Amino acid sequence: ELGYTVVSRPSIGTRQFGVDGSALGPAVERGEQRFSLFSIKQGDLTREDWDGNPQALRSSLNEILDVYIPTFIPQEHRHRPVVICLCFGGAIVEAVRANVTRFISAHTNTQISFEEWNGDKIAGLLVDGVLREQLLAKALRTHFQKSVAMVDEPDVSYTHFSALIDGVCSQANATLRQRITALRQIYICLWVLFVWARDI
């Protein structure tokens, strides 16, 4: 929905050398497409999530730089600039910000750059892309859009968001998979609403 062509998706059980997903990005300056590599972590980026265990983001970034970029980028995309996207649902905590900034500065060059995809950016992308069509059924989409649009009128926003939650939950009455999907829909919608409400 945002103009990316997905090359690989997250998978379980195979070593991915720090890359949870990759995509050919939409054209940027000079009409050139970039090859985007996504390393995905959940929640806020804390000190432990940055460099405290083998699954930490810094370890993943090192594997991307040392192994994935030289070895696994498809031949037809080797000439393209590479952007490594640091994805996490929350924010970078202050104690780690300088470490992340220094790492990015040390490894950025004419071929490789970095982008921070935090909760705010992801919420904005969801509104621009996937929330327009696919996340919610058409009947529920209106409630979500009105709850976000009316966030400066809390009573109205709450009424529409409550109707959205009721509608999502009423569709998740059969299988475990449907209930998990409903929880994910609610979580994403609530995060988007929170970001918009905070900005207001």
Side-chain angles (χ1 to χ4, degrees):
E1 288 75 25
L2 297 170
Y4 288 85
T5 302
V6 176
V7 176
S8 68
R9 299 177 185 276
S11 60
I12 298 172
T14 58
R15 189 169 178 201
Q16 297 177 290
F17 298 97
V19 175
D20 295 304
S22 63
L24 191 59
V28 289
E29 61 270 359
R30 300 187 310 277
E32 189 171 31
Q33 287 183 302
R34 302 181 302 174
F35 197 74
S36 302
L37 305 175
F38 299 90
S39 190
I40 304 168
K41 307 297 178 189
Q42 66 180 12
D44 290 336
L45 188 66
T46 65
R47 181 174 295 198
E48 184 168 338
D49 297 322
W50 168 246
D51 198 17
N53 60 69
Q55 299 299 317
L57 183 56
R58 183 173 185 171
S59 299
S60 295
L61 296 177
N62 283 329
E63 285 201 318
I64 291 171
L65 293 167
D66 295 342
V67 181
Y68 193 94
I69 291 175
T71 310
F72 291 105
I73 291 181
Q75 188 65 39
E76 64 269 24
H77 300 305
R78 291 269 170 100
H79 67 284
R80 299 183 188 282
V82 174
V83 58
I84 301 171
C85 301
L86 289 60
C87 303
F88 39 91
I92 298 178
V93 299
E94 266 323 296
V96 181
R97 171 58 70 184
N99 301 75
V100 175
T101 300
R102 181 70 190 100
F103 184 93
I104 289 172
S105 175
H107 294 92
T108 297
N109 55 44
T110 56
Q111 182 67 18
I112 298 170
S113 62
F114 294 81
E115 287 183 1
E116 180 183 324
W117 287 35
N118 59 23
D120 290 355
K121 180 176 178 72
I122 292 170
L125 293 173
L126 285 166
V127 169
D128 291 340
V130 92
L131 288 184
R132 288 186 176 177
E133 300 296 334
Q134 295 181 350
L135 180 69
L136 299 167
K138 189 172 184 179
L140 298 175
R141 212 174 302 143
T142 300
H143 286 300
F144 177 70
Q145 290 168 341
K146 287 182 178 178
S147 68
V148 172
M150 300 300 293
V151 76
D152 56 340
E153 297 286 342
D155 291 340
V156 177
S157 180
Y158 176 80
T159 299
H160 285 289
F161 200 81
S162 296
L164 167 67
I165 299 302
D166 290 342
V168 170
C169 291
S170 70
Q171 295 177 351
N173 55 3
T175 66
L176 176 62
R177 185 173 183 162
Q178 286 177 317
R179 292 194 295 273
I180 290 172
T181 298
L183 285 173
R184 287 178 176 152
Q185 290 172 317
I186 292 168
Y187 176 80
I188 291 169
C189 290
L190 186 59
W191 180 257
V192 173
L193 185 69
F194 165 73
V195 169
W196 281 65
R198 185 182 59 193
D199 290 345
I200 292 293

